[in-house]
Amino acid sequence: MEILSHLRVVEIGSSAASSYCARLFADFGAYVQKVEPPSGDPLRRSEPLTRGGQSAWFGFLNVNKSSRIIDPKDKDALDRLAEMIEHSDIVIDGRDVDHADCPPIDVPAIRNRRPELIYLTASWFGGKGPYAGFAATDSTVRALAGLIRLVGSVKGPPLHAPDFQTGILAGLWGFIAVASSEIARMQYGTGRSWSLSIHEATLAVSEFLMSESMGRAELTRRVGVNRFWPHFPVGIYETKKGWLGVTTGTPAQWRSFCDMLELPALRDEAALSLGEDRLQYAEAIEGQFIPRLKARTAEEWFEEGLKRKIPLVPVPTIPDILYDSEKRARGAVVPVVLGSERALTAGSMQRLTQTPPRRGGKVPGIGEQQAFANFVIGNVSGSSGSAGISDLPLRTIRVVDFSMGWAGPLCTRTLADLGADVIKIEAVQYPDWWRGFDRRPDYVREQMYEKTARFCVMNRNKRGVTLDLKRPQGLDLAKRLLVGADVVVSNYSVDVMVNLGLGYEVLQTLNPRLVVISMTAFGADSVHRDCRAYGSTLEQGSGLPGVIGPPDGLPTMTHPAFGDPVGGLNGCAAVLIALIHARKSGRGQFIDLGQIECMIPFAAPWITVQSTGTPAERYGNRHPQFVPHGCFQCAGEDSWIVVAATDPSMWQRLALLIGRPDWAEDLSLRAAESRRALEDTIETELAQWALVREADQAMSELQGAKVASGVARLPIELLDDRHLKSRAFLQEIDREFIGPHPQPSMPIREGETPYPIRTAAPTLGQHNNEILSGLLGISEAEIVALEAAGIIGAKMLSDEELTSKDRSVANS
């Protein structure tokens, strides 16, 4: 029996976010009924199309669902829809994005009668705020979320991908909201009602640069294709054969990179030790190493990187992804049936090993009921009640968090935000690397490791304990914590937990109910399992860079660490699914999350069209369906706006606004393909119109005409964004060493305001006494002895102190 086969889900309206949320339920066996008008979900007409004329994007979003036609002209349509919802467990509502001719059903009224119903509604910008009524597309939302302005050449225009990103990010957040509600409902019997802002969901990718840029506005600017502040080199480079993704995150990796390329002068230059310093001399440094990279192939450099522990990865094409036998074997690429065509698409990335997801399936035709998904009236899970509804949904869950950096801590932060008790394990010898890589005496003495905003943003609502896991006493204390836990999260390299004595076999013996997730780069059984990786490596190796940018351009990255937040959200979703299974069965399991696979859905449309024999096309800033669609310069320095015309009436309004009534009246231009022949001319006219207006003024005029548009914001500008302020999205948190600082909320909320942030991120070892004494019953005298022995502590060790301690332990 599949994990979620007890759930019946109704999906209404049309949005990529609600569709992807529902698909994640279908992947694990839920009976998903997609409500469509007789003409079908508008997303069925989304381009690019397969050779047989099927929408690749719609296919990815809707595999394994059933379709139910509800004709709004039918006088009984509303009654039939109400009956479906009355007998469902979950309703996922995309009507605020596109109502798709759905009858005006009042779901909150049904919830009043059936409080066990879980309800999620998605909208572009939330129900209230200055942007709430904006016309939008994926690209205009990403512009407003700070994800476009920093990509591309210094002179611009900024580069961006077509509309296949926000739906995945927001769909994951929607799934997290609903799945956490199901965990709570299994205990209390009461459902929850959530609202999801797609714009705010997308900020999960921006928040790193938002926090890093506080007080450093002059540094957050576009610095070139495949270059990103604050690290360097983090990019894609040409080799003798193929492209190579390069990331040097630590000083040691930079030195190894220089050694590999036989550049001792660069290695030994103290002023180039940190990536932010190297970025100031990017042109000169690249001038030295690019010619040397062309001496060997990408695969050869990859093998060399493995030996030297440098995050290097060959940058694959879409055909490379398609025919990668490992990705098929692991279910990252799966077969799908679209109409009469057999194709491939991205699979489920939540790789639960004992209760795996479906491996592909069929996309329903309009009104088609799939054999495995008969919608049974009257068999609803849960029972009505009101206990616990005011509590956070995961308040009974305890998580032991061995993760560091971004991906793992985002997974555990989300669990903590939803109420879980998250205990973060660090060591004074090796604290979370997001506290800083710098271990020089001055950095440590001044406790700069307590002053990094990125660490504080990613580790709120957690408790922190320090344990030296390489010593028996520290390992024993960790094991005692695990006995009473529900979840273990790690994003170390593959063998680290095993070598520490905390492999899954050990943990399962300690606590059979444990859900254990390993968030490695490629997966525990991958042939590339030993490859070092960061979020940048994951994007480089996903296939996505090969379809971003102009047709004749090089593979293009879109973010300094795109893979990290994507991996974190997928990890959280996977944990919640496994917790549902644990609640039902009493058994935990191992989750083998390959973070590089979590990036593959962003390339899903290209994978599908390529699999049917149509080459994957690169669009640059244009779009396969919308004309015009692009990023246009406004008045002022480096000021830009993204504009799109998504339908004939929007095109007419845009033409009138920019002073071309003849285009608005020309019936032949109502079709986007007809406008395609004039695309250069249309873009020239739109560019001239935008260039004499400030970006926000241009957006105001365009939105006044209901034309999809969004200013290309810098991440730091989001800290003062009027819409986010109106929604109280940024919460001011006071923390020792840093003082008051803004933190982003979750994009999911149960009422008008977001969940409040309960506690600031822990200082190093802040909760040692509380956890060791309160949870494990360790006496005060024992705690003092543990600190004296260096098993626990509250101060990070410098390189010199670490070397001295290592000698002392070795000699003891």
Side-chain angles (χ1 to χ4, degrees):
M1 182 73 70
E2 292 162 310
I3 299 177
L4 304 183
S5 60
H6 65 294
L7 294 175
R8 288 163 172 78
V9 180
V10 174
E11 177 193 337
I12 59 178
S14 173
S15 79
S18 53
S19 281
Y20 189 54
C21 175
R23 185 210 143 149
L24 292 170
F25 280 96
D27 281 343
F28 285 89
Y31 299 163
V32 178
Q33 288 279 2
K34 183 179 184 65
V35 174
E36 301 187 75
S39 59
D41 183 339
L43 289 174
R44 286 185 181 272
R45 297 177 282 282
S46 295
E47 298 185 33
L49 305 179
T50 66
R51 186 176 290 274
Q54 300 288 326
S55 168
W57 182 225
F58 179 86
F60 163 74
L61 294 172
N62 291 285
V63 65
N64 285 326
K65 300 178 186 178
S66 287
S67 169
R68 180 64 61 93
I69 296 174
I70 299 289
D71 187 346
K73 297 178 182 177
D74 183 341
K75 62 181 179 63
D76 297 323
L78 188 59
D79 291 340
R80 281 201 296 275
L81 180 58
E83 184 182 31
M84 286 179 65
I85 292 174
E86 287 268 7
H87 293 88
S88 66
D89 300 286
I90 298 163
V91 177
I92 300 172
D93 187 349
R95 289 178 297 168
D96 283 347
V97 173
D98 188 333
H99 61 79
D101 293 330
C102 184
I105 188 78
D106 187 351
V107 181
I110 295 175
R111 281 204 76 250
N112 286 336
R113 300 193 295 274
R114 287 197 56 246
E116 64 268 34
L117 182 67
I118 299 171
Y119 180 42
L120 173 79
T121 181
S123 61
W124 284 120
F125 297 102
K128 293 182 179 179
Y131 302 164
F134 273 16
T137 68
D138 182 291
S139 296
T140 65
V141 169
R142 277 184 287 125
L144 286 165
L147 291 180
I148 287 176
R149 178 86 164 270
L150 296 177
V151 182
S153 66
V154 174
K155 293 184 178 179
L159 291 175
H160 56 93
D163 291 0
F164 310 123
Q165 295 195 1
T166 65
I168 295 170
L169 294 164
L172 281 163
W173 273 113
F175 181 84
I176 288 166
V178 177
S180 66
S181 299
E182 174 59 13
I183 291 169
R185 184 173 66 172
M186 293 173 79
Q187 183 166 358
Y188 300 114
T190 305
R192 292 169 184 263
S193 182
W194 297 88
S195 63
L196 164 69
S197 163
I198 297 169
H199 174 236
E200 291 168 11
T202 308
L203 295 175
V205 185
S206 305
E207 63 183 15
F208 161 68
L209 287 172
M210 287 170 62
S211 60
E212 284 294 278
S213 61
M214 284 188 287
R216 309 173 81 182
E218 74 284 356
L219 297 173
T220 53
R221 63 185 188 279
R222 199 166 52 260
V223 291
V225 176
N226 293 329
R227 288 186 193 158
F228 299 93
W229 177 84
H231 304 298
F232 179 83
V234 175
I236 295 172
Y237 299 96
E238 189 175 6
T239 68
K240 183 177 181 180
K241 180 182 177 183
W243 297 87
L244 183 71
V246 176
T247 301
T248 55
T250 68
Q253 288 164 356
W254 166 246
R255 291 193 295 270
S256 294
F257 182 68
C258 292
D259 284 338
M260 181 181 77
L261 296 176
E262 299 179 350
L263 294 168
L266 286 180
R267 178 198 61 203
D268 297 336
E269 177 54 64
L272 301 180
S273 177
L274 299 179
E276 187 174 329
D277 298 327
R278 294 192 292 273
L279 190 57
Q280 300 176 52
Y281 308 101
E283 295 283 354
I285 294 172
E286 285 182 343
Q288 293 193 53
F289 74 69
I290 286 178
R292 297 183 181 234
L293 286 175
K294 292 179 181 178
R296 301 172 73 176
T297 69
E299 286 291 341
E300 289 170 339
W301 287 125
F302 174 65
E303 293 298 328
E304 193 65 33
L306 285 176
K307 297 174 191 174
R308 297 172 182 269
K309 300 182 179 180
I310 310 169
L312 305 178
V313 65
V315 177
T317 64
I318 294 299
D320 292 335
I321 296 291
L322 266 179
Y323 301 114
D324 186 322
S325 58
E326 179 175 288
K327 288 183 172 52
R328 292 201 188 193
R330 285 178 57 86
V333 175
V334 295
V336 63
V337 178
L338 302 99
S340 60
E341 288 182 290
R342 294 187 177 276
L344 296 169
T345 192
S348 170
M349 306 309 152
Q350 291 76 41
R351 195 166 183 265
L352 280 65
T353 54
Q354 292 182 28
T355 53
R358 289 168 171 160
R359 291 291 188 97
K362 191 176 189 303
V363 178
I366 301 173
E368 180 181 6
Q369 293 288 296
Q370 301 217 40
F372 60 80
N374 295 320
F375 191 72
V376 180
I377 299 294
N379 186 20
V380 179
S381 67
S383 58
S384 62
S386 57
I389 192 60
S390 62
D391 296 318
L392 297 170
L394 300 183
R395 72 181 185 89
T396 62
I397 302 298
R398 176 165 293 155
V399 180
V400 178
D401 180 9
F402 292 96
S403 70
M404 297 185 180
W406 190 352
L410 175 59
C411 168
T412 54
R413 186 194 79 182
T414 305
L415 297 171
D417 285 351
L418 290 164
D421 176 21
V422 175
I423 298 173
K424 182 177 182 66
I425 308 290
E426 298 182 84
V428 295
Q429 296 84 357
Y430 298 102
D432 188 324
W433 59 73
W434 260 27
R435 291 184 183 272
F437 288 116
D438 197 337
R439 304 184 70 96
R440 291 173 293 188
D442 286 348
Y443 186 90
V444 173
R445 185 167 44 252
E446 295 174 17
Q447 292 185 272
M448 298 301 293
Y449 56 87
E450 295 291 9
K451 302 173 185 178
T452 55
R454 60 182 180 269
F455 175 86
C456 295
V457 167
M458 207 51 58
N459 291 284
R460 67 186 185 220
N461 288 335
K462 303 177 186 179
R463 297 193 286 171
V465 63
T466 52
L467 295 173
D468 184 352
L469 300 175
K470 293 184 177 181
R471 296 168 68 184
Q473 303 100 309
L475 181 62
D476 178 66
L477 291 169
K479 287 180 176 179
R480 290 171 64 182
L481 282 174
L482 293 168
V483 169
D486 300 283
V487 179
V488 172
V489 178
S490 162
N491 65 340
Y492 294 137
S493 299
V494 171
D495 292 325
V496 170
M497 291 290 280
V498 174
N499 292 339
L500 287 170
L502 294 171
Y504 179 63
E505 292 74 15
V506 174
L507 300 182
Q508 190 179 33
T509 302
L510 286 173
N511 180 355
R513 293 181 61 257
L514 267 180
V515 169
V516 179
I517 182 168
S518 169
M519 299 174 61
T520 59
F522 289 84
D525 60 1
S526 169
V527 295
H528 301 317
R529 67 196 301 272
D530 296 321
C531 176
R532 297 299 174 100
Y534 293 103
S536 50
T537 318
L538 306 175
E539 182 179 7
Q540 291 160 356
S542 69
L544 183 61
V547 292
I548 304 299
D552 58 349
L554 68 161
T556 301
M557 295 170 61
T558 62
H559 193 274
F562 194 0
D564 278 316
V566 173
L569 294 177
N570 275 278
C572 182
V575 165
L576 293 174
I577 298 166
L579 282 172
I580 292 172
H581 172 256
R583 282 281 167 91
K584 290 171 65 178
S585 67
R587 299 191 306 275
Q589 63 177 299
F590 180 68
I591 303 169
D592 175 22
L593 190 88
Q595 291 189 61
I596 199 164
E597 296 168 355
C598 298
M599 287 295 299
I600 291 177
F602 295 96
W606 290 279
I607 289 171
T608 298
V609 297
Q610 183 83 46
S611 73
T612 66
T614 301
E617 185 176 347
R618 298 174 74 179
Y619 305 106
N621 280 352
R622 290 179 173 177
H623 194 279
Q625 187 173 357
F626 306 144
V627 181
H629 181 282
C631 191
F632 302 92
Q633 190 164 16
C634 296
E637 183 180 357
D638 196 34
S639 180
W640 304 85
I641 189 168
V642 174
V643 183
T646 64
D647 58 46
S649 60
M650 189 179 291
W651 155 249
Q652 289 178 306
R653 296 192 298 273
L654 175 60
L656 289 171
L657 181 67
I658 66 174
R660 290 302 301 260
D662 54 323
W663 285 350
E665 294 165 5
D666 190 338
L667 297 181
S668 69
L669 294 180
R670 288 177 60 82
E673 281 312 303
S674 299
R675 299 195 295 276
R676 189 79 68 187
L678 289 176
E679 197 159 16
D680 288 341
T681 304
I682 293 171
E683 287 178 351
T684 298
E685 293 266 351
L686 183 50
Q688 291 173 351
W689 178 88
L691 194 57
V692 296
R693 289 165 171 80
E694 299 289 335
D696 277 281
Q697 178 59 32
M699 183 171 71
S700 178
E701 292 184 39
L702 287 160
Q703 289 293 346
K706 291 296 179 185
V707 174
S709 52
V711 175
R713 303 280 191 215
L714 286 172
I716 194 169
E717 293 171 352
L718 302 174
L719 298 174
D720 199 39
D721 184 273
R722 59 194 174 99
H723 181 75
L724 297 177
K725 282 188 171 182
S726 75
R727 289 178 52 76
F729 177 76
L730 291 166
Q731 302 182 43
E732 188 168 277
I733 304 302
D734 195 3
R735 180 184 180 274
E736 189 180 1
F737 295 102
I738 260 186
H741 62 284
Q743 292 220 14
S745 304
M746 288 193 297
I748 47 177
R749 55 180 72 182
E750 291 191 76
E752 292 295 319
T753 58
Y755 276 10
I757 297 170
R758 304 184 303 282
T759 60
T763 57
L764 192 62
Q766 178 179 342
H767 301 102
N768 284 349
N769 285 18
E770 179 181 312
I771 290 168
L772 297 178
S773 170
L775 290 182
L776 302 184
I778 305 295
S779 71
E780 184 175 343
E782 289 175 294
I783 291 173
V784 170
L786 287 168
E787 186 161 4
I791 306 299
I792 65 173
K795 298 287 180 66
M796 175 180 172
L797 300 184
S798 68
D799 277 331
E800 294 174 4
E801 292 172 315
L802 185 60
T803 302
S804 174
K805 289 278 186 183
D806 285 345
R807 284 200 205 98
S808 175
V809 170
N811 294 330
S812 64

